[in-house]
Amino acid sequence: PASYPVSTGNSKSRLQGSTRSEARSSPIIERQRREKPVREIMILRHAKSSWKHAGKTDHDRPLNERGERDAPRMGRWIRGNELVPDRILCSDAVRARQTLEFVCSAGDWSSEVSYVPQLYLAEPSAYVELLATLPSDVQRAMVIGHNPGLEELVLALSGTSIFMSTACFVHIELPLEDWAGLSLKTRG
């Protein structure tokens, strides 16, 4: 696959960012036949949240209007590019849960979801530890969480440093037969 809209320098990674304007969509290059087993991880940063709710903790901040516009765009983009995940691991923060709800609703798809408190402001190792426990029938997994952990996770798994704005999506194919083989040294 190619990278959109910004090349990550890795032909096996794909980046889709959502901005104030319509999320960019580009034609997807046909997937080449794979000789090695591959697991796919999709990394989605929560959509833009609001700072206007006095008295709410950071964990309880909801999406703002922009976030409510961008998250559905990502859901439609994921569906349109045939990247619907088999399993989703989502931070239990309000903004992450709302992002997931908007993404799935607008994309008209559903997947098995786990809301994981440990993913709130998590380090890359927390994501990897949870992903490594997924059953072997899960081919494609999505994580929804927060920076800086997600940017660091992308760097660890792809070798590429990127800025993940809100509602940013990264798709990485990993050379794994099973999730149990995933570590921070795995490169896609």
Side-chain angles (χ1 to χ4, degrees), residues 163-175:
F163 170 73
M164 289 190 70
S165 61
T166 53
C168 184
F169 175 91
V170 178
H171 174 234
I172 303 172
E173 293 179 344
L174 301 168

Side-chain angles (χ1 to χ4, degrees), residues 105-173:
S105 177
D108 193 29
W109 52 271
S110 64
S111 300
E112 184 177 345
V113 176
S114 295
Y115 295 100
V116 185
Q118 298 93 318
L119 294 184
Y120 173 64
L121 305 179
E123 298 284 327
S125 59
Y127 290 99
V128 168
E129 288 170 15
L130 286 164
L131 287 163
T133 66
L134 291 176
S136 59
D137 63 332
V138 173
Q139 181 70 30
R140 182 182 291 147
M142 175 184 277
V143 294
I144 301 175
H146 313 270
N147 273 346
L150 290 181
E151 288 178 347
E152 293 168 0
L153 180 63
V154 170
L155 176 60
L157 297 178
S158 71
T160 301
S161 178
I162 65 165
F163 170 73
M164 289 190 70
S165 61
T166 53
C168 184
F169 175 91
V170 178
H171 174 234
I172 303 172
E173 293 179 344

Side-chain angles (χ1 to χ4, degrees), residues 24-68:
R24 298 175 195 166
S25 60
S26 300
I28 301 300
I29 296 174
E30 290 291 322
R31 291 180 185 226
Q32 296 179 354
R33 198 170 241 179
R34 299 180 186 110
E35 295 179 17
K36 295 180 182 178
V38 173
R39 301 288 169 182
E40 298 173 59
I41 180 171
M42 295 175 301
I43 301 166
L44 178 63
R45 183 175 175 206
H46 65 79
K48 186 73 174 168
S49 61
S50 176
W51 291 93
K52 292 183 180 180
H53 300 276
K56 289 210 182 246
T57 65
D58 180 68
H59 185 275
D60 294 331
R61 288 189 298 117
L63 296 181
N64 67 12
E65 288 181 25
R66 183 174 132 200
E68 291 177 359

Side-chain angles (χ1 to χ4, degrees), residues 90-110:
C90 183
S91 162
D92 70 340
V94 170
R95 60 192 179 271
R97 292 191 328 249
Q98 287 181 327
T99 297
L100 175 59
E101 291 168 13
F102 278 105
V103 164
C104 290
S105 177
D108 193 29
W109 52 271
S110 64

